[in-house]
Amino acid sequence: EAQVTQNPRYLITVTGKKLTVTCSQNMNHEYMSWYRQDPGLGLRQIYYSMNVEVTDKGDVPEGYKVSRKEKRNFPLILESPSPNQTSLYFCASSNRVMEPQHFGDGTRLSIL
Amino acid sequence: ELKVEQNPLFLSMQEGKNYTIYCDYSTTSDRLYWYRQDPGKSLESLFVLLSNGAVKQEGRLMASLDTKARLSTLHITAAVHDLSATYFCAGASGTASKLTFGTGTRLQVTL
């Protein structure tokens, strides 16, 4: 089954404790992206990747890092999480940048 | 920088009625997407519109794109309760890789 898998689905942690949210897709897609969703703000793009070793900033990249060492994986790293990064995060992928994206089920992060 | 605005933000409509959600964008966007999100769920792609005048239809939903007016619409015909969800439009320019979403329209269909 074609899917985008995110882990964990839920995480409560404390300020400053590094965390990684993993994202994996099994569709051999080139384009992958991370979004955060906050009430009243819709989805905002954090980072995206056009292909292996090619990443670029979205609209809200501050406080986040990403890497794309393999085509299927695109982890989101919070080196020193802060409470304003409490949000619902979605990973998405598509075969090409112009095609509609497939979204993962989301990761709800709470930073205390 | 592309900005995308949707209205209304919230729409309560009766079953059987027709209504339209509007998506305005600020600069050139020749790709426009519509997504649906059910409460507590992920986003599901509905339509992608790639050219001026493009119209796509699926069931009771029809989306259109007017690049000259910088406007896309999502028209709902004879609404049913199953259409209750939040609908997002998103735009991108040319080969741009950044996708900009609107804030969403929460649709509630009542009996």
Side-chain angles (χ1 to χ4, degrees):
Chain A
E1 181 190 347
Q3 56 187 8
V4 178
T5 304
Q6 296 178 227
N7 279 297
R9 294 288 316 280
Y10 305 90
L11 179 64
I12 302 173
T13 188
V14 295
T15 298
K17 187 176 180 183
K18 180 180 178 180
L19 68 92
T20 299
V21 184
T22 63
C23 174
S24 180
Q25 50 92 4
N26 63 359
M27 296 166 279
N28 202 37
H29 284 169
E30 290 188 350
Y31 182 84
M32 297 186 75
S33 184
W34 276 103
Y35 300 88
R36 59 179 289 173
Q37 183 176 21
D38 301 289
L41 296 176
L43 278 83
R44 293 178 292 167
Q45 194 170 36
I46 304 171
Y47 271 95
Y48 61 91
S49 170
M50 297 288 285
N51 215 325
V52 176
E53 302 291 3
V54 180
T55 63
D56 208 345
K57 296 177 181 178
D59 290 321
V60 288
E62 297 78 19
Y64 304 95
K65 285 174 60 176
V66 292
S67 69
R68 187 97 182 270
K69 296 190 173 77
E70 307 162 279
K71 200 170 188 179
R72 62 184 294 129
N73 296 323
F74 190 44
L76 179 70
I77 302 155
L78 286 72
E79 294 270 3
S80 183
S82 62
N84 65 10
Q85 292 177 299
T86 292
S87 187
L88 177 59
Y89 291 85
F90 286 101
C91 179
S93 73
S94 61
N95 192 28
R96 294 181 300 158
V97 65
M98 295 179 76
E99 294 180 2
Q101 294 176 39
H102 297 254
F103 280 78
D105 287 336
T107 294
R108 188 166 291 280
L109 285 184
S110 293
I111 317 289
L112 304 176
Chain B
E1 182 182 331
L2 178 65
K3 292 192 189 313
V4 178
E5 287 189 10
Q6 287 181 238
N7 68 84
L9 298 183
F10 178 74
L11 177 58
S12 179
M13 55 190 299
Q14 286 183 314
E15 275 203 336
K17 300 288 188 184
N18 303 334
Y19 211 81
T20 300
I21 298 171
Y22 297 89
C23 176
D24 293 277
Y25 51 92
S26 60
T27 62
T28 302
S29 174
D30 49 17
R31 286 156 37 214
L32 201 294
Y33 305 85
W34 284 96
Y35 288 89
R36 168 183 170 144
Q37 185 180 35
D38 292 310
K41 302 290 186 183
S42 185
L43 281 83
E44 172 192 354
S45 174
L46 293 173
F47 303 108
V48 55
L49 305 165
L50 296 176
S51 60
N52 185 42
V55 177
K56 295 248 179 109
Q57 182 163 5
E58 171 115 10
R60 301 174 188 274
L61 301 177
M62 184 174 72
S64 65
L65 178 63
D66 182 342
T67 58
K68 293 177 183 174
R70 295 180 184 165
L71 173 69
S72 179
T73 60
L74 180 66
H75 186 73
I76 302 147
T77 302
V80 292
H81 182 69
D82 285 352
L83 291 179
S84 296
T86 298
Y87 293 85
F88 292 94
C89 65
S93 301
T95 56
S97 307
K98 280 175 59 172
L99 201 60
T100 301
F101 278 77
T103 52
T105 296
R106 186 170 153 228
L107 174 67
Q108 184 176 298
V109 180
T110 57
L111 294 171

